[in-house]
Amino acid sequence: MGNSTSGLSPASQPGSPLQLCLNNVFASSRDNVSYPQDLFYQSLDVKPYNLHIPVVPAAVTRPGTPEDIANIVQCAVASAVKVQPRGGGHSYGNYGIGGEDGAVVVDLVNFQQFSMDNTTWQATIGAGTLLTDVTDRLSAAGGRAIAHGTCPQVGIGGHATIGGLGPASRMWGAALDHVVEVEIVLANGTITRANATHNPDILFAAKGAAAGFGIVTEFVVLTHPEPSTAVIYSYEIKFGNYSSFAPTFAAWQNIIMDPNLDRKLASEIVVSELGMIISGTYFGTLDEYNALNFTGRLNQRVTNTSVTVLDTWLGMVGNWAENEALEVVGGIPSPFYSKSLAFTTAIPANGIQDFFAYLDTADKGTLVWFAIFDAEGGAVNDVPQNATAYAHRDTIFYLQTYAVGIGSLSNTTINFVGGMSDVITNSMPGTQFGAYAGYVDPELTNAQQAYWGSNLPRLAQIKTALDPEDLFHNPQSVRPNGTGGNATSSSVSTPTPTPTHSGGTRRAMSLSVLFCALGVVFLVL
């Protein structure tokens, strides 16, 4: 006996034209498509990450080839339903399953291809690969590496199309800065490739704003030799009220705001119910780290100190995963809310004081909460702001505020998270704050502007040319011109198909031009 589909859209009903079409696509692999009427659909197939946001997709598909995806797209177009891809499945807003009811989910779990060109040291990586496997496969293929985040369960598909920030980013750039080419399935069902000379508009959008334009199936990425040694450091402050942490935070902020700060230094501050931890990685020797006098420049209220030297890249990445503040959640679904702020200037002294005082007095509604300040800059900021859709090239550090409900998420906890951001922004009147699209905030107003800033007009113009019906859609994806008012005129080149990668018979959309969509979105950290 299956689940009830009462109240769901016509496309979500048993025997709908959408289901019949998808059954035909998966005629030889029926286990790779699931529907709302299937037993345990939500827990086994949908697998929502944020339990505070209920979503019932019209179907969850697990294709094995780009041609399968092209056929899925045709089915969705015929039934006028939206499409969203899923990589690791860690979208804060459940955008990888549509973000709202009725979408077709394209789960890329079967896209695990990997190869390394030992001449160029460029790697080809399937879009369904998790970061833990990316690390292992690159290391095994000649001791290579790319910059990426610290959560091993996150998928490269979303990570490398949103930003992909991590400990090595100040040294090497964001994960998306390593991408030189993508293979992508477009809104009209065409399969093509995009690089700097072939469909450059698609590559531009895929590198940072892929949330409404297509499904990336693989990446070609530049790689680096693995670092041979690194210093892992941690300084904890556990005693005293939160207000007493303010001087140490101010000292840390002064360090990371230095434009000449050694790019081999990664650093973050995590404030939680347990106190405050300053931690990070220095990609060099212990003598080089000590020469920075990082410890001496911090306010000396440290309770516990740990400085460890590691001599393997895999050891470094494993250490990041073990110490990741959000590992308490990891890959386990839970009800939570998160916000982010991108800082291009320092928080003033009164803002720092107000923030920590707020933590002393606010009703949090939960014991599981974090305020995470991550130093950015360095190589990420070397890239011109208009070179990729990722717009925050002048950001010096990010703040991510995050809280998990116990059983359910209360309004008290949601308001507490919002208050952490508000108390800082109120101290900086007139400052324009961006937000990181990898930490999607479903409650954020003007989200597209916050995520993509000055690149939004070009993105919307490309969207209009490539996906005017908004097939690839989630609640905060880029909209075509005329539907969301989020763009102005901009010059967009006509995308060029790659004939050798086009898949079978295509059902063209209603316009006479060839539509090529841009990238894939899996909003995750």
Side-chain angles (χ1 to χ4, degrees), residues 177-464:
D177 293 326
H178 296 70
V179 175
V180 296
E181 184 170 296
V182 297
E183 180 182 72
I184 183 172
V185 181
L186 309 171
N188 68 339
T190 300
I191 305 166
T192 193
R193 301 188 78 85
N195 55 43
T197 58
H198 184 77
N199 296 327
D201 282 330
I202 294 176
L203 185 67
F204 167 82
K207 294 173 69 169
F213 300 92
I215 300 177
V216 168
T217 60
E218 73 178 24
F219 303 90
V220 179
V221 300
L222 299 169
T223 67
H224 306 272
E226 295 176 341
S228 59
T229 187
V231 177
I232 309 295
Y233 64 87
S234 176
Y235 307 101
E236 298 183 39
I237 304 175
K238 293 186 175 181
F239 302 118
N241 58 22
Y242 290 105
S243 294
S244 68
F245 300 167
T248 302
F249 177 88
W252 176 85
Q253 181 179 244
N254 287 338
I255 294 171
I256 62 100
M257 291 297 295
D258 181 357
N260 297 315
L261 181 65
D262 192 333
R263 294 183 174 200
K264 293 185 290 185
L265 181 72
S267 192
E268 72 172 9
I269 281 185
V270 178
V271 187
S272 72
E273 195 71 20
L274 300 177
M276 186 168 79
I277 301 175
I278 301 171
S279 63
T281 303
Y282 180 78
F283 296 98
T285 67
L286 181 59
D287 286 342
E288 290 174 315
Y289 174 71
N290 288 336
L292 295 177
N293 192 29
F294 186 77
T295 306
R297 295 167 68 184
L298 293 173
N299 181 276
Q300 295 300 310
R301 292 193 62 255
V302 173
T303 305
N304 295 318
T305 298
S306 174
V307 178
T308 305
V309 177
L310 297 178
D311 58 7
T312 69
W313 172 249
L314 294 183
M316 299 171 207
V317 175
N319 180 274
W320 299 335
E322 292 173 5
N323 290 289
E324 171 59 47
L326 300 185
E327 192 72 8
V328 296
V329 181
I332 302 174
S334 59
F336 65 89
Y337 180 54
S338 181
K339 295 183 72 67
S340 69
L341 292 173
F343 291 86
T344 60
T345 59
I347 303 171
N350 65 304
I352 295 173
Q353 293 165 358
D354 291 347
F355 175 77
F356 284 97
Y358 175 77
L359 298 182
D360 281 322
T361 60
D363 185 355
K364 303 174 180 64
T366 180
L367 295 177
V368 185
W369 60 271
F370 305 96
I372 305 171
F373 297 86
D374 278 302
E376 301 301 336
V380 176
N381 291 15
D382 288 343
V383 180
Q385 191 146 344
N386 62 356
T388 67
Y390 176 79
H392 304 301
R393 298 297 181 175
D394 54 353
T395 293
I396 306 300
F397 64 95
Y398 281 104
L399 166 64
Q400 181 191 7
T401 50
Y402 187 105
V404 181
I406 307 302
S408 63
L409 187 66
S410 68
N411 287 332
T412 298
T413 297
I414 293 172
N415 292 335
F416 164 64
V417 171
M420 284 193 279
S421 292
D422 291 344
V423 73
I424 293 177
T425 58
N426 289 343
S427 74
M428 304 173 70
T431 302
Q432 295 295 316
F433 293 93
Y436 180 44
Y439 307 145
V440 293
D441 174 6
E443 303 299 322
L444 185 63
T445 57
N446 300 317
Q448 289 91 343
Q449 183 64 42
Y451 295 149
W452 298 296
S454 61
N455 289 330
L456 183 58
R458 181 181 175 189
L459 287 168
Q461 186 71 9
I462 298 171
K463 172 76 171 179
T464 304

Side-chain angles (χ1 to χ4, degrees), residues 13-38:
Q13 300 301 321
S16 68
L18 175 66
Q19 293 194 5
L20 295 176
C21 186
L22 291 175
N23 285 343
N24 185 56
V25 174
F26 292 97
S28 62
S29 55
R30 180 59 179 82
D31 290 344
N32 283 327
V33 60
S34 304
Y35 303 116
Q37 69 265 24
D38 293 341

Side-chain angles (χ1 to χ4, degrees), residues 54-79:
V55 176
V56 182
V60 175
T61 66
R62 292 168 288 277
T65 67
E67 289 74 19
D68 288 343
I69 298 175
N71 290 328
I72 293 166
V73 166
Q74 293 170 25
C75 291
V77 169
S79 290

